Amino acid sequence: MCRLFCVTSDEPQSPMLALGALDVMREGHDGSGVGLFLTDLTGPFAELKDKPILSGIFTKDGLRRLNDFMNALGFWPLYRVVITTDKEPPPGTPKRDFYLIQVYEYPDGWENLDQEEKEFRLMMTRLQLRWMGEEKEDIIVFSFWPDVIMIKEVGDPLLVGEYLRLDRKELQARVIMAQGRQNTNYAINLYACHPFFIQGIATMTNGENTAFVPIREFLLSRGFPGYTGYQSDSEVFTHILHYALKKLGLKLEYYKHLITPLTDEEIKRHPNRELLRRLKLACRPLTIDGPNCVIGCLPDKTVFMVQDRKKLRPGVVGGRPGFYVLCSEMCGLDFAAPDRDKSQDFQPMHLDTVIVYPDRREVRRCSQMEPLPPLH
């Protein structure tokens, strides 16, 4: 198993808060790797909030190829953080040439594109870089999107954070997601490391999705180039959410009805019974199986948590207005928010979706048995 941590805060937080929380939950993960998703950024990144940020790992040759490729497309660098170190890496962590976080100016003419086309081109640029890197093993790209930074590496999360000096001020963010484990079922591949990301949407999962193959095949059949990769069975959770929001035009409250639909008897008692009956029939291939806790973030910085149909993985939410934590274990919540009102802590069950909106005023609890918001 692995462990998950997410914080959404009015005040910027350091990634080391998340890595510290993973460390106190270390009995639940094997310390084999770490993935970080940062958004609602601060400092120089906040001043360039609308510009795309590239996050990845590069060899010296890979960095040269990146520069040539981006120059040819018309992207020009505006600001960057390059992480290099002469220190000996932690046990199990490879020595890398460059961890790069670079902000770009859009090419000429992009200001005339509609939002959907701009988002599609950003995604395709990321995928082209990924394919280039896989060919020569010199480029690994995690995200290329405004107001998003992603860092992934093999090794103990806390030691990796200290090694890369992730406590630096320019990496503080108001929303941070962290996962503590590499996919050790197969050969280690950083593209199998959570959180997963597509067009502003990120999710991470503690669990196992035994329905992975039919879900993957359904997504691949949609003809959308972003539905690719799948080095981990958990990446489909991100793509299902993207499909629900971007392709079907649904709201977050519908997500659970896709991945863990109600039984036919429960649907008969639901206020939106006819809609749910049709949705279940049309999206049946997206139903997950197995134990899973999913934490995610939407483009507007809303964060959420959902559970599998039998609540077979731990998850808890707590905090105070302006600062909320969603994580796997109570000890992680205690570490990050020791002064909260613990009577307000909530452990979502099999029907629940827990949502914290960008205003961070409260934790909203939604049940699958409640009426759904209108589609339009």
Side-chain angles (χ1 to χ4, degrees), residues 271-333:
N272 305 101
R273 63 184 69 85
E274 186 58 27
L275 170 62
L276 290 182
R277 186 187 67 79
R278 294 181 180 182
L279 195 63
K280 182 177 181 179
L281 182 64
C283 298
R284 187 177 296 276
L286 298 179
T287 303
I288 66 165
D289 190 26
N292 289 281
C293 173
V294 182
I295 295 175
C297 180
L298 305 188
D300 70 353
K301 321 308 177 191
T302 294
V303 297
F304 70 92
M305 176 188 288
V306 296
Q307 300 281 349
D308 65 82
R309 185 66 183 165
K310 296 181 180 177
K311 170 69 176 180
L312 293 175
R313 284 292 185 267
V316 62
V317 180
R320 60 183 182 275
F323 185 95
Y324 286 103
V325 169
L326 303 79
C327 66
S328 293
E329 294 187 11
M330 193 68 73
C331 60
L333 178 55

Side-chain angles (χ1 to χ4, degrees), residues 63-75:
L63 192 58
R64 282 193 288 269
R65 290 213 299 148
L66 167 72
N67 292 336
D68 291 344
F69 178 78
M70 297 301 278
N71 287 343
L73 291 180
F75 286 101

